[in-house]
């Protein structure tokens, strides 16, 4: 059998030292590659060794390193400043957009409130119109229940617009029976007015205007005091919405009459009428109220 070979002390020493030397050399190489300061220091040491200084490049001077670091620092500072400026600009745009969004939301809310108010006013106005139509319909039924010979003279004593308004709310057969008892001219005038299809609301306004004109003409014949009393009674008894619409129509031709009527009615009726007028035409109402206030 072969005898076991024994190792000398030097071999054992090299056995342990070789890995350590390898690791040290590897660390030095890595430091030289990735650490500029260490690389510079190593080149300075290497350049101080004879023969080795011919192979190694010259180490950069401290001024060059310092300038390079200063340049990098300045570049980094410039980039940071630019990024901060862009960030501030984006934050400003975001704040402006948020403010614009808030403003739009407020406008939308305001429009929704105005729309809701208009709907409520329209519902109230429609309800008043429906009530007025029911009232005219019931009034027409009163004349239908009468004999034609009695209903015809009463209708003929009204204005043409009022007579047509009531006749239009009757059934065709009932209307024929009553018109047969009318004077031919009155029946012909009513027929000519009914042949043109006119919205019921316009007929109501025309009837009110005719009634007002008739009352004014009658009052002119009996004196100023009677005229004021009838006008006051008429507009005080009317619904504020109907009176307001009629006065606004009158204001297109003669504002002085409208002002006179508003001065004649009592405070409560005037307040209700003006409130309804402002819903229909706020600008004209404001001008009329201003004229009332400025009058002595």
């Amino acid at each position: 059998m072969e005898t076991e070979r024994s190792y000398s002390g030097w071999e054992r020493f090299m056995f342990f030292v070789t890995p350590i030397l390898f690791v040290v050399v590897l660390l030095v190489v890595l430091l030289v590659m990735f650490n500029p300061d260490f690389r510079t220091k190593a080149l300075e040491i290497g350049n101080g060794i004879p023969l080795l200084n011919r192979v190694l490049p010259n180490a950069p001077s401290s001024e060059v390193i310092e300038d390079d670091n200063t340049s990098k620092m300045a570049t980094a500072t410039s980039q940071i400043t630019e990024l901060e400026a862009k960030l501030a600009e984006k934050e400003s745009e975001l704040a402006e957009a948020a403010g614009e969004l808030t403003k739009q939301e407020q406008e939308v809310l305001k429009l929704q409130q105005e729309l809701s108010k208009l709907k409520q006013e329209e519902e109230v106005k429609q309800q008043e119109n429906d009530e007025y139509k029911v009232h005219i319909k019931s009034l027409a039924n009163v004349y239908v229940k009468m004999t034609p010979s009695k209903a015809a003279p009463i209708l003929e004593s009204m204005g043409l617009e009022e007579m047509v308004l009531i006749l239009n709310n009757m059934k065709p057969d009932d209307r024929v029976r009553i018109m047969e008892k009318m004077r031919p001219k009155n029946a012909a005038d009513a027929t000519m007015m009914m042949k043109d299809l006119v919205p019921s609301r316009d007929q109501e306004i025309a009837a009110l205007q005719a009634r007002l004109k008739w009352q004014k003409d009658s009052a002119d014949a009996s004196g100023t005091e009677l005229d004021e009393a009838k006008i006051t009674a008429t507009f005080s008894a009317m619904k504020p919405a109907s009176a307001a619409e009629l006065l606004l129509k009158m204001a297109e031709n003669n504002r002085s009459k409208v002002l006179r009527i508003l001065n004649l009615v009592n405070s409560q009726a005037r307040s209700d009428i003006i409130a309804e007028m402002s819903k229909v035409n706020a600008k004209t109402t404001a001008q009329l109220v201003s004229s009332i206030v400025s009058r002595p």
Side-chain angles (χ1 to χ4, degrees):
M1 296 184 61
E2 297 181 356
T3 59
E4 293 182 359
R5 182 175 178 273
S6 61
Y7 296 95
S8 64
W10 174 253
E11 289 176 338
R12 292 177 181 176
F13 174 77
M14 291 301 295
F15 179 78
F16 291 104
V17 171
T18 300
I20 296 173
L21 289 174
F22 177 77
V23 172
V24 171
V25 171
L26 180 61
L27 290 175
V28 171
V29 171
L30 292 175
L31 286 172
V32 169
M33 291 177 62
F34 298 104
N35 193 323
D37 295 335
F38 187 84
R39 182 170 61 250
T40 302
K41 183 64 71 175
L43 288 174
E44 289 177 354
I45 296 173
N47 288 330
I49 300 174
L51 299 179
L52 187 60
N53 57 2
R54 297 180 181 180
V55 179
L56 296 176
N58 295 328
S61 63
S62 58
E63 294 180 356
V64 174
I65 296 174
E66 184 176 355
D67 292 341
D68 185 47
N69 292 336
T70 304
S71 176
K72 291 181 178 179
M73 183 64 70
T75 303
T77 304
S78 176
Q79 291 177 349
I80 292 173
T81 304
E82 184 179 355
L83 291 174
E84 289 177 348
K86 290 183 179 180
L87 179 61
E89 182 180 356
K90 294 300 181 183
E91 289 178 349
S92 177
E93 292 177 357
L94 182 60
E96 184 178 355
E100 187 67 23
L101 179 61
T102 303
K103 183 179 179 181
Q104 290 179 356
E105 290 176 349
Q106 292 175 352
E107 291 179 355
V108 169
L109 180 61
K110 183 179 178 181
L111 290 175
Q112 288 177 344
Q113 292 174 350
E114 291 178 356
L115 179 61
S116 177
K117 183 179 179 181
L118 289 174
K119 286 182 178 179
Q120 292 176 356
E121 292 175 355
E122 185 65 24
E123 289 175 359
V124 172
K125 188 175 181 180
Q126 184 63 37
Q127 183 178 359
E128 292 177 351
N129 292 340
D130 293 342
E131 291 175 357
Y132 186 77
K133 289 179 181 178
V134 171
H135 176 70
I136 297 297
K137 189 72 176 178
S138 63
L139 186 61
N141 289 334
V142 171
Y143 290 100
V144 170
K145 292 178 181 179
M146 297 170 62
T147 59
S149 58
K150 291 183 178 180
I154 297 174
L155 290 173
E156 287 179 310
S157 65
M158 301 178 181
L160 181 61
E161 292 81 1
E162 292 177 320
M163 180 174 65
V164 170
L165 179 62
I166 294 176
L167 289 173
N168 270 338
N169 282 275
M170 297 180 182
K171 294 180 180 179
D173 293 340
D174 297 329
R175 184 163 57 242
V176 169
R177 289 189 301 103
I178 294 175
M179 292 183 69
E180 286 176 347
K181 300 298 181 179
M182 290 184 178
R183 289 191 295 272
K185 184 179 184 309
N186 292 338
D189 291 341
T191 302
M192 292 300 294
M193 183 172 287
M194 285 190 294
K195 76 179 180 64
D196 298 324
L197 294 177
V198 180
S200 60
R201 189 59 183 165
D202 292 343
Q203 290 183 355
E204 295 166 6
I205 294 174
L208 290 172
Q209 289 176 333
R211 169 57 59 181
L212 181 62
K213 184 177 182 301
W214 177 82
Q215 289 180 344
K216 183 179 183 303
D217 293 340
S218 300
D220 289 340
S222 59
T224 305
E225 184 178 353
L226 181 61
D227 177 54
E228 292 180 355
K230 285 191 174 184
I231 290 176
T232 303
T234 299
F235 280 88
S236 298
M238 288 173 64
K239 291 184 178 180
S242 300
E245 196 165 358
L246 176 58
L247 289 175
L248 287 173
K249 288 281 186 181
M250 292 176 59
E252 296 176 0
N253 300 321
N254 195 332
R255 292 196 176 193
S256 60
K257 291 182 179 180
V258 176
L259 294 174
R260 184 165 175 265
I261 291 171
L262 290 175
N263 278 321
L264 289 176
V265 296
N266 58 58
S267 300
Q268 183 61 44
R270 181 166 54 250
S271 176
D272 295 338
I273 292 172
I274 290 175
E276 293 296 331
M277 289 173 66
S278 65
K279 294 178 181 179
V280 180
N281 192 328
K283 182 178 179 180
T284 302
T285 304
Q287 293 173 352
L288 292 171
V289 173
S290 178
S291 300
I292 293 174
V293 174
S294 61
R295 294 182 64 179

